[in-house]
């Protein structure tokens, strides 16, 4: 099956700890994205990557870091510098070239709770 | 940066009533996408509109792109309980077309 997976589905961490959220896709998409969603709110872009070994900050990148060493994988690290990390984290992927239909395919998300 | 508004923020309808949500941008768009997120789920792509004045239909859903390519609407005819969720628009920036700025969404509740 082609798709995008995120793990774990639920994650709990203690304040002051870094945590890494996994995102893998087998859709052969060049572009990948991380969004944060707070309860009852919209999606806010954290980071995006349009090609391997390159990524750009989104609107709320502070306290987060990413890597894009492989086309299929775009892990997100929530660092202890992120002041309010409890949220629903969504990863997505899409084709990247201008003019293409670049609909985003979303993973099931990871709900992070900081205790 | 790009600003996008969606109205209304919430809508409660009786099953069988119609529903419309509007998406308005401060800048001219290259395209616009619509997504639906069911409660507890993840956003799912519905459609992309590209041409000025474009109208597309998917069963009971009708999508429109404004003539000036600054606004769009989603209309649902005779809502059903399966329509419950939050509808987001995602405008594509004119100079590139990538869609990663999402509107705040309209949350639809359908009472049986």
């Amino acid at each position: 099956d082609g798709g995008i997976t995120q793990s774990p589905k639920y994650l709990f961490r203690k304040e002051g700890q870094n945590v890494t959220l996994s995102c893998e896709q087998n859709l052969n998409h060049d572009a990948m994205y991380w969004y944060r969603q707070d309860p009852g709110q919209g999606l806010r872009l954290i980071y995006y990557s349009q090609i391997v070994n390159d990524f750009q900050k989104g609107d709320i990148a502070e306290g987060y870091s990413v890597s894009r060493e492989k086309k299929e994988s775009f892990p997100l690290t929530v660092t202890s510098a992120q002041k309010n990390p409890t949220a629903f984290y969504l990863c997505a992927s899409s084709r990247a070239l201008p003019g293409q239909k670049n609909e985003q395919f979303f993973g099931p998300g990871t709900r992070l709770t900081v205790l | 940066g790009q600003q996008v508004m969606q109205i209304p923020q919430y809508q409660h309808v009786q099953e069988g009533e119609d529903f419309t949500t509007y998406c308005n941008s401060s800048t001219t768009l290259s395209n616009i996408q619509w997504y639906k997120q069911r409660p507890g789920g993840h956003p799912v792509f519905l459609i992309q509109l590209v041409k000025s004045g474009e109208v597309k239909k998917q069963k009971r859903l009708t999508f429109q792109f404004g003539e000036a390519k600054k606004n769009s609407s989603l209309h649902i005819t005779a809502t059903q309980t399966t329509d419950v969720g939050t509808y987001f628009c995602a405008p594509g920036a004119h100079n590139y077309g990538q869609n990663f700025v999402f509107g705040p969404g309209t949350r639809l509740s359908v009472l049986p």
Side-chain angles (χ1 to χ4, degrees), chain A residues 33 35 37 40 96 102 104 107, chain B residues 33 35 37 96 98-99 107:
Chain A
Y33 315 80
Y35 295 91
Q37 187 174 38
N102 57 352
Q104 292 189 32
Chain B
Q33 297 177 348
Y35 292 78
Q37 184 177 23
Y96 189 79
Q98 282 283 309
N99 303 69
R107 189 182 303 176

Side-chain angles (χ1 to χ4, degrees), chain B residues 32-96:
Chain B
I32 193 160
Q33 297 177 348
W34 285 91
Y35 292 78
K36 175 185 178 181
Q37 184 177 23
R38 292 181 187 272
H42 58 273
V44 174
F45 174 82
L46 294 176
I47 207 159
Q48 176 168 298
L49 305 173
V50 179
K51 298 177 184 175
S52 169
E54 189 170 13
V55 177
K56 285 189 177 179
K57 291 191 176 185
Q58 289 180 350
K59 297 183 181 178
R60 294 178 296 103
L61 277 60
T62 302
F63 302 85
Q64 283 192 301
F65 201 9
E67 293 289 342
K69 299 183 78 173
K70 284 189 173 183
N71 53 66
S72 180
S73 65
L74 158 59
H75 179 83
I76 303 177
T77 304
T79 54
Q80 299 175 358
T81 54
T82 53
D83 295 324
V84 165
T86 302
Y87 293 84
F88 295 100
C89 64
H94 189 65
N95 59 351
Y96 189 79

Side-chain angles (χ1 to χ4, degrees), chain A residues 31 33 35 37 40-43 45 48 50 88 90 94-98 100-104 106-108 111, chain B residues 9-10 31 33 35 37 39-45 47-48 88 96-105 107:
Chain A
Y33 315 80
Y35 295 91
Q37 187 174 38
Q41 303 298 312
L43 305 172
L45 183 68
Y48 67 99
Q50 293 179 333
F88 186 41
L90 286 156
S94 75
R95 298 185 189 94
L97 296 179
Q100 287 187 332
K101 187 178 177 184
N102 57 352
E103 64 183 272
Q104 292 189 32
F106 284 83
R111 294 191 184 275
Chain B
Q9 189 176 2
Y10 302 95
N31 66 77
Q33 297 177 348
Y35 292 78
Q37 184 177 23
H42 58 273
V44 174
F45 174 82
I47 207 159
Q48 176 168 298
F88 295 100
Y96 189 79
Q98 282 283 309
N99 303 69
F100 42 63
V101 172
F102 282 72
R107 189 182 303 176

Side-chain angles (χ1 to χ4, degrees), chain A residues 22-60:
Chain A
S22 164
C23 179
E24 303 278 331
Q25 54 99 0
N26 61 4
L27 300 168
N28 200 33
H29 285 164
D30 286 305
M32 296 188 75
Y33 315 80
W34 273 106
Y35 295 91
R36 170 183 171 136
Q37 187 174 38
D38 292 289
Q41 303 298 312
L43 305 172
R44 291 187 290 168
L45 183 68
I46 305 173
Y47 269 97
Y48 67 99
S49 167
Q50 293 179 333
I51 197 167
V52 173
N53 292 323
D54 185 58
F55 47 83
Q56 306 295 327
K57 292 183 179 180
D59 298 324
I60 56 165

